[in-house]
PDB file of all heavy atoms in Angstrom:
ATOM      1  N   GLU A  46     -13.682  -5.363  -3.096  1.00 93.00           N
ATOM      2  CA  GLU A  46     -13.980  -4.266  -3.969  1.00 93.00           C
ATOM      3  C   GLU A  46     -14.377  -3.065  -3.102  1.00 93.00           C
ATOM      4  O   GLU A  46     -15.021  -3.104  -2.007  1.00 93.00           O
ATOM      5  CB  GLU A  46     -15.036  -4.553  -4.889  1.00 93.00           C
ATOM      6  CG  GLU A  46     -14.703  -5.652  -5.866  1.00 93.00           C
ATOM      7  CD  GLU A  46     -15.679  -5.722  -7.047  1.00 93.00           C
ATOM      8  OE1 GLU A  46     -16.762  -5.123  -6.841  1.00 93.00           O
ATOM      9  OE2 GLU A  46     -15.389  -6.557  -8.033  1.00 93.00           O
ATOM     10  N   LEU A  47     -13.962  -1.849  -3.587  1.00 94.00           N
ATOM     11  CA  LEU A  47     -14.165  -0.607  -2.761  1.00 94.00           C
ATOM     12  C   LEU A  47     -15.131   0.254  -3.441  1.00 94.00           C
ATOM     13  O   LEU A  47     -15.617   1.324  -2.837  1.00 94.00           O
ATOM     14  CB  LEU A  47     -12.892   0.143  -2.613  1.00 94.00           C
ATOM     15  CG  LEU A  47     -11.706  -0.627  -2.035  1.00 94.00           C
ATOM     16  CD1 LEU A  47     -10.438   0.338  -1.929  1.00 94.00           C
ATOM     17  CD2 LEU A  47     -11.959  -1.038  -0.576  1.00 94.00           C
ATOM     18  N   LEU A  57     -18.189   5.050  -3.574  1.00 92.00           N
ATOM     19  CA  LEU A  57     -17.651   4.055  -2.641  1.00 92.00           C
ATOM     20  C   LEU A  57     -18.702   3.243  -2.021  1.00 92.00           C
ATOM     21  O   LEU A  57     -19.752   3.785  -1.686  1.00 92.00           O
ATOM     22  CB  LEU A  57     -16.905   4.881  -1.480  1.00 92.00           C
ATOM     23  CG  LEU A  57     -15.625   5.625  -1.877  1.00 92.00           C
ATOM     24  CD1 LEU A  57     -15.170   6.449  -0.769  1.00 92.00           C
ATOM     25  CD2 LEU A  57     -14.590   4.571  -2.229  1.00 92.00           C
ATOM     26  N   ASN A  58     -18.414   1.933  -1.941  1.00 93.00           N
ATOM     27  CA  ASN A  58     -19.378   1.051  -1.146  1.00 93.00           C
ATOM     28  C   ASN A  58     -18.974   1.069   0.329  1.00 93.00           C
ATOM     29  O   ASN A  58     -18.149   1.930   0.759  1.00 93.00           O
ATOM     30  CB  ASN A  58     -19.325  -0.456  -1.763  1.00 93.00           C
ATOM     31  CG  ASN A  58     -17.947  -0.962  -1.712  1.00 93.00           C
ATOM     32  OD1 ASN A  58     -17.180  -0.558  -0.981  1.00 93.00           O
ATOM     33  ND2 ASN A  58     -17.669  -1.991  -2.678  1.00 93.00           N
ATOM     34  N   ASP A  59     -19.569   0.242   1.084  1.00 94.00           N
ATOM     35  CA  ASP A  59     -19.331   0.141   2.583  1.00 94.00           C
ATOM     36  C   ASP A  59     -17.872  -0.030   2.869  1.00 94.00           C
ATOM     37  O   ASP A  59     -17.240   0.689   3.742  1.00 94.00           O
ATOM     38  CB  ASP A  59     -20.203  -0.903   3.353  1.00 94.00           C
ATOM     39  CG  ASP A  59     -21.636  -0.436   3.301  1.00 94.00           C
ATOM     40  OD1 ASP A  59     -21.932   0.768   3.109  1.00 94.00           O
ATOM     41  OD2 ASP A  59     -22.433  -1.363   3.600  1.00 94.00           O
ATOM     42  N   ALA A  60     -17.262  -1.010   2.107  1.00 94.00           N
ATOM     43  CA  ALA A  60     -15.774  -1.227   2.307  1.00 94.00           C
ATOM     44  C   ALA A  60     -14.986   0.011   1.973  1.00 94.00           C
ATOM     45  O   ALA A  60     -13.967   0.317   2.533  1.00 94.00           O
ATOM     46  CB  ALA A  60     -15.419  -2.508   1.631  1.00 94.00           C
ATOM     47  N   GLY A  61     -15.441   0.668   0.833  1.00 93.00           N
ATOM     48  CA  GLY A  61     -14.763   1.821   0.350  1.00 93.00           C
ATOM     49  C   GLY A  61     -14.740   2.950   1.345  1.00 93.00           C
ATOM     50  O   GLY A  61     -13.852   3.678   1.588  1.00 93.00           O
ATOM     51  N   LEU A  62     -15.972   3.143   1.969  1.00 94.00           N
ATOM     52  CA  LEU A  62     -16.063   4.228   2.975  1.00 94.00           C
ATOM     53  C   LEU A  62     -15.113   4.006   4.214  1.00 94.00           C
ATOM     54  O   LEU A  62     -14.524   4.884   4.664  1.00 94.00           O
ATOM     55  CB  LEU A  62     -17.466   4.373   3.350  1.00 94.00           C
ATOM     56  CG  LEU A  62     -18.445   4.839   2.389  1.00 94.00           C
ATOM     57  CD1 LEU A  62     -19.963   4.766   2.850  1.00 94.00           C
ATOM     58  CD2 LEU A  62     -18.130   6.346   2.022  1.00 94.00           C
ATOM     59  N   LYS A  63     -15.008   2.755   4.569  1.00 95.00           N
ATOM     60  CA  LYS A  63     -14.235   2.262   5.682  1.00 95.00           C
ATOM     61  C   LYS A  63     -12.717   2.617   5.285  1.00 95.00           C
ATOM     62  O   LYS A  63     -11.947   3.108   6.084  1.00 95.00           O
ATOM     63  CB  LYS A  63     -14.424   0.815   6.042  1.00 95.00           C
ATOM     64  CG  LYS A  63     -13.586   0.442   7.405  1.00 95.00           C
ATOM     65  CD  LYS A  63     -13.892  -1.086   7.779  1.00 95.00           C
ATOM     66  CE  LYS A  63     -15.278  -1.173   8.157  1.00 95.00           C
ATOM     67  NZ  LYS A  63     -15.474  -0.500   9.528  1.00 95.00           N
ATOM     68  N   ALA A  64     -12.420   2.157   3.991  1.00 94.00           N
ATOM     69  CA  ALA A  64     -10.958   2.380   3.587  1.00 94.00           C
ATOM     70  C   ALA A  64     -10.710   3.899   3.459  1.00 94.00           C
ATOM     71  O   ALA A  64      -9.608   4.327   3.817  1.00 94.00           O
ATOM     72  CB  ALA A  64     -10.731   1.764   2.205  1.00 94.00           C
ATOM     73  N   LEU A  65     -11.743   4.749   3.085  1.00 94.00           N
ATOM     74  CA  LEU A  65     -11.522   6.195   2.987  1.00 94.00           C
ATOM     75  C   LEU A  65     -11.243   6.777   4.368  1.00 94.00           C
ATOM     76  O   LEU A  65     -10.376   7.582   4.447  1.00 94.00           O
ATOM     77  CB  LEU A  65     -12.805   6.780   2.390  1.00 94.00           C
ATOM     78  CG  LEU A  65     -12.671   8.339   2.241  1.00 94.00           C
ATOM     79  CD1 LEU A  65     -11.589   8.835   1.280  1.00 94.00           C
ATOM     80  CD2 LEU A  65     -14.071   8.805   1.783  1.00 94.00           C
TER      81      LEU A  65
END
Side-chain angles (χ1 to χ4, degrees):
E46 292 190 354
L47 303 177
L57 293 170
N58 58 24
D59 289 344
L62 291 172
K63 185 178 291 290
L65 177 65

